[in-house]
Amino acid sequence: MEKFYKYNNYLLKENKRDSSIYLYIYYLRKFLKWYEENTEKTFSRLEKSAVDMYLESVSSKVSKTSINSYINFFKSYNSFLISEGIQENMVVDNSMRRRTSKKKSDKVNDVDEKYIEAILQNICLSDGIKNYTMLNLIANSGLRALEVKELRLEDLDFDNRVINITGAYERKIPMNSNVENSLKLYLKEIYVMEEYLFINERGTKYTEAGIRWIFRKNCSDTDITIATLRNFYKIKLKNQGYSNKEIDKVLGYKTNGKKYSDRALKDMLTPSQFSKIFNVAPITVIKWCNKGIVKAYRTDKGFRKIPNSEVERLKKLRLKHNS
């Protein structure tokens, strides 16, 4: 467990996106399990021969793009092991990558709607109404995983058919019949209503990683992610005649309105830089951002950026709280 925690912190310091961190930890678990089952020994250091064997074992199940994603993970984990003094040299490099044909395309419009619907239906049939409803809220209401885990019963307004999202991305989201039906079916299965709408097997609310894990175990295609589900909803809104501005409002985007220019975003602080000022871990800053304690914006690539003005504002807030 400690090795996952250390690697997770390493990825945070590298300013990796939340989705990348989750995916790399998922890859690490899969690789270590495969390594122990196929070598009958405990993992100690990364070996090129083992990486080649592992990539060969998964190559028949995933696309070339996914193989390259695995290679990116191995490069990252190799660098981590070097930083920890576990090994000295890089054994993974770009020469191991697979060539893929490059096509100029709109990533949003590349989402195969029928494929996504088939995945969701399969989850509903094989993994239960709760897991289906959580992922359906992302695919058919455009919620973020962090918003799904924070949902409470009072956030659901069935009379006006809207979902009230609070926190950093406060907004009202239309509740279509698909989402309304799945929510009502799920609510019928609940014996005791807890503080949060979705509670895991341990009796606590889900984490973002937990929701992503549910999706990943039901969809082995690593080209399809939680972000793909949000794009699926974006396509539906476009087809219904929503303008780009209206779509941004429904999805809770804050940077697409160009309140800050790309140059201004570039000058802002990363969570890692912000954490050093307050002598806390980067994950703490990310939690502050999710709770709305610290205002953060997203670049086009999805990275969090924090305005410099938030430093003084938070210092004053903490000073006031301590006095």
Side-chain angles (χ1 to χ4, degrees):
M1 186 61 70
E2 185 180 359
K3 67 179 67 143
F4 296 113
Y5 178 77
K6 285 185 176 181
Y7 183 47
N8 185 81
N9 281 343
Y10 171 81
L11 293 173
L12 285 170
K13 289 177 182 177
E14 291 292 303
N15 199 30
K16 293 289 186 184
R17 296 170 61 179
D18 292 351
S19 56
S20 296
I21 293 174
Y22 169 77
L23 189 60
Y24 282 12
I25 295 295
Y26 169 72
Y27 284 164
L28 178 58
R29 291 183 187 278
K30 282 185 66 177
F31 171 69
L32 292 180
K33 182 181 178 182
W34 173 89
Y35 186 89
E36 292 184 2
E37 288 176 352
N38 288 270
T39 65
E40 296 183 348
K41 58 183 181 180
T42 304
F43 176 84
S44 58
R45 56 192 290 122
L46 208 57
E47 300 163 349
K48 189 176 187 299
S49 58
V51 174
D52 284 333
M53 286 173 60
Y54 181 72
L55 293 176
E56 185 64 30
S57 72
V58 299
S59 61
S60 61
K61 304 173 185 176
V62 299
S63 65
K64 289 181 179 179
T65 303
S66 298
I67 290 292
N68 289 338
S69 178
Y70 277 102
I71 293 169
N72 289 337
F73 151 69
F74 280 119
K75 284 171 59 182
S76 167
Y77 193 58
N78 200 159
S79 297
F80 163 71
L81 293 175
I82 291 173
S83 71
E84 290 289 303
I86 295 173
Q87 65 185 83
E88 297 176 358
N89 302 317
M90 289 290 293
V91 297
V92 184
D93 56 46
N94 286 332
S95 66
M96 303 171 71
R97 294 175 67 83
R98 272 55 167 176
R99 288 189 177 184
T100 57
S101 58
K102 293 184 178 179
K103 297 186 296 181
K104 288 186 177 180
S105 59
D106 182 342
K107 287 184 180 179
V108 172
N109 292 328
D110 272 354
V111 176
D112 187 330
E113 293 186 57
K114 290 184 179 179
Y115 184 39
I116 299 299
E117 286 174 350
I119 291 172
L120 290 172
Q121 287 303 313
N122 181 62
I123 293 170
C124 185
L125 293 171
S126 63
D127 207 23
I129 187 65
K130 179 172 70 172
N131 291 349
Y132 166 73
T133 301
M134 287 193 288
L135 296 172
N136 195 39
L137 282 164
I138 298 172
N140 282 295
S141 288
L143 271 67
R144 297 170 174 84
L146 69 91
E147 293 168 340
V148 171
K149 74 183 183 67
E150 296 291 338
L151 274 181
R152 304 167 190 259
L153 182 60
E154 55 264 32
D155 296 327
L156 308 179
D157 185 347
F158 288 108
D159 291 334
N160 295 305
R161 301 190 73 193
V162 295
I163 301 171
N164 297 303
I165 302 300
T166 57
Y169 305 97
E170 184 173 341
R171 64 197 188 282
K172 292 181 182 293
I173 298 177
M175 186 191 298
N176 60 37
S177 57
N178 183 315
V179 171
E180 182 181 9
N181 290 337
S182 67
L183 282 168
K184 287 181 176 178
L185 284 172
Y186 167 62
L187 290 171
K188 284 182 179 179
E189 288 199 354
I190 300 176
Y191 295 104
V192 179
M193 175 53 65
E194 304 285 351
E195 182 181 2
Y196 294 97
L197 193 60
F198 301 106
I199 298 297
N200 61 29
E201 290 73 17
R202 296 186 300 275
T204 60
K205 69 175 179 179
Y206 280 88
T207 62
E208 290 178 67
I211 294 174
R212 285 187 165 86
W213 170 255
I214 289 169
F215 180 69
R216 184 54 56 218
K217 76 172 182 176
N218 285 286
C219 178
S220 59
D221 185 348
T222 53
D223 288 336
I224 307 295
T225 66
I226 291 289
T228 312
L229 296 186
R230 293 243 299 162
N231 282 341
F232 172 75
Y233 183 61
K234 190 172 184 177
I235 288 174
K236 286 199 166 189
L237 292 178
K238 276 190 173 183
N239 292 339
Q240 290 170 19
Y242 281 71
S243 68
N244 288 336
K245 188 175 181 181
E246 290 170 328
I247 291 172
D248 288 349
K249 186 176 180 181
V250 172
L251 292 175
Y253 290 148
K254 292 199 171 184
T255 55
N256 285 12
K258 299 298 180 185
K259 182 176 179 180
Y260 288 96
S261 66
D262 291 339
R263 189 169 183 177
L265 281 168
K266 188 176 179 181
D267 292 336
M268 291 183 189
L269 300 169
T270 65
S272 180
Q273 292 168 331
F274 196 85
S275 69
K276 291 176 182 177
I277 296 172
F278 291 94
N279 195 29
V280 296
I283 188 64
T284 301
V285 175
I286 290 173
K287 288 179 180 178
W288 288 347
C289 295
N290 290 343
K291 292 179 180 178
I293 297 171
V294 172
K295 185 182 293 184
Y297 297 87
R298 295 272 190 174
T299 65
D300 291 337
K301 293 183 179 180
F303 295 112
R304 288 184 178 85
K305 298 304 286 284
I306 303 170
N308 289 276
S309 58
E310 286 297 282
V311 174
E312 289 303 317
R313 190 186 70 79
L314 188 58
K315 282 181 178 178
K316 289 178 182 178
L317 188 66
R318 297 179 90 185
L319 186 64
K320 183 179 178 181
H321 179 74
N322 293 331
S323 61

